[in-house]
Amino acid sequence: MAVLELNSVIGGYGDTQILHGVSMAVEKDEIVVIIGPNGAGKSTAMKSVFGLLKLTSGNVVLDGQDITNTPPEQVVRHGVCYVPQTSNIFPTLSVEENLEMGAFVRTDDYRPRIQEIYEIFPPLAEKRRQAAGTLSGGQRQMVAMGKALMLEPKILLLDEPTAGLSPKYRGEIFSIVKTIHAAGTPILMVEQNAKQALGIAHRGYVLVDGKNRFEGTGEDLLNDPDVGEMFLGGGKSGNKNPDGDANG
Ligand SMILES: Nc1ncnc2c1ncn2[C@@H]1O[C@H](COP(=O)(O)OP(=O)(O)OP(=O)(O)O)[C@@H](O)[C@H]1O
Ligand SMILES: [Mg+2]
């Protein structure tokens, strides 16, 4: 059974419809990647899971349970954690305080989980007392993911985890994504670095203008000439990462 499903989701912000029927699924053992041009609705599709926009049609199903239009704090309690594209850490709080914030709905002892997070992200253990905002871009992204993982989610949603990072940190983030997956957490990830992301993905979706355009295994999409031409930088209209804030 899929851990997460979007079925013909239609919705947007206020009266503006952005998603015109988006369907996707993530199985329990998968890394699934969403690619597509700027403004395609990739972040909006993620926010739709999180109750951050109003869906007028379609539904979101988590582990067999309909969670359509459930408010964000409830979605967290259901076991979905989301690392947004920007502003995903508390910069003035220490690394450890950020992780503690991530545990906000836990009522049990979360200390052992902090140790596990430090094992996944060793640089964070060294910098546990340092203000998160003073870390490098790659390490700030580790804080954001670590914070989300504090709840041991059923699924982790990542919106462009490598945006603005140098190639070295990008590779590091992709390998961390694989580690998180190998430790048992399914992942749905939006990425502009489409080739690299599809390289580690089990399956992928290409969204264009708020609709599904292509889908398939990571390998199929990488080898599909139409996808390559339009979305993998294979042709004139290759989608470049416009993110200028080089914070790697
Ligand atoms: N909070 C908002 N209120 C109104 N419109 C929004 C809001 N957020 C996004 N939009 C609009 O929704 C459309 C899709 O935006 P979205 O951020 O989902 O695209 P994206 O595929 O994630 O793009 P990018 O690659 O630039 O991150 C865009 O036209 C955008 O201007
Ligand atoms: Mg986006």
Side-chain angles (χ1 to χ4, degrees), residues 1-247:
M1 189 178 62
V3 61
L4 181 70
E5 267 177 63
L6 275 70
N7 297 307
S8 308
V9 164
I10 294 179
Y13 306 100
D15 292 333
T16 314
Q17 186 177 308
I18 305 290
L19 304 177
H20 309 289
V22 170
S23 296
M24 50 184 70
V26 182
E27 302 288 332
K28 285 198 160 71
D29 56 352
E30 285 186 322
I31 297 173
V32 173
V33 166
I34 306 172
I35 64 170
N38 296 121
K42 304 181 298 295
S43 296
T44 303
M46 287 216 156
K47 290 185 209 166
S48 77
V49 174
F50 231 66
L52 290 169
L53 63 146
K54 193 159 181 294
L55 306 192
T56 51
S57 174
N59 61 28
V60 179
V61 180
L62 177 74
D63 243 350
Q65 188 182 358
D66 192 326
I67 60 160
T68 314
N69 289 328
T70 301
E73 68 276 11
Q74 292 295 334
V75 178
V76 172
R77 286 174 205 273
H78 282 296
V80 183
C81 287
Y82 166 56
V83 180
Q85 198 167 345
T86 53
S87 312
N88 52 22
I89 58 165
F90 298 102
T92 61
L93 299 185
S94 72
V95 167
E96 190 144 313
E97 286 163 344
N98 268 273
L99 298 181
E100 286 167 356
M101 293 299 278
F104 73 107
V105 300
R106 280 186 83 140
T107 50
D108 58 344
D109 179 13
Y110 58 77
R111 293 273 123 198
R113 185 59 179 163
I114 289 191
Q115 293 312 315
E116 288 172 14
I117 299 296
Y118 288 150
E119 281 162 32
I120 302 174
F121 308 103
L124 299 189
E126 280 167 42
K127 302 196 170 167
R128 66 217 290 164
R129 309 260 169 257
Q130 206 169 311
T134 65
L135 270 53
S136 71
Q139 291 173 351
R140 288 203 300 272
Q141 196 60 39
M142 292 182 199
V143 174
M145 289 198 233
K147 183 154 70 73
L149 288 170
M150 281 302 293
L151 296 181
E152 301 178 55
K154 285 181 186 155
I155 182 166
L156 180 63
L157 273 48
L158 302 174
D159 195 347
E160 301 207 23
T162 71
L165 297 184
S166 66
K168 174 176 163 262
Y169 277 119
R170 223 183 280 158
E172 202 170 315
I173 294 295
F174 283 124
S175 82
I176 288 167
V177 167
K178 286 202 281 187
T179 305
I180 294 169
H181 165 263
T185 307
I187 291 169
L188 177 63
M189 169 169 81
V190 173
E191 258 300 329
Q192 291 279 4
N193 295 295
K195 273 188 191 169
Q196 255 180 307
L198 289 173
I200 66 159
H202 299 91
R203 288 184 313 106
Y205 294 90
V206 182
L207 283 195
V208 180
D209 292 337
K211 279 183 281 207
N212 289 61
R213 178 74 171 270
F214 297 100
E215 66 181 83
T217 65
E219 203 181 346
D220 286 348
L221 292 175
L222 282 171
N223 293 329
D224 184 318
D226 291 332
V227 174
E229 177 78 16
M230 283 184 276
F231 306 107
L232 303 178
K236 290 191 283 279
S237 56
N239 185 25
K240 291 215 192 77
N241 183 353
D243 198 326
D245 75 7
N247 55 3

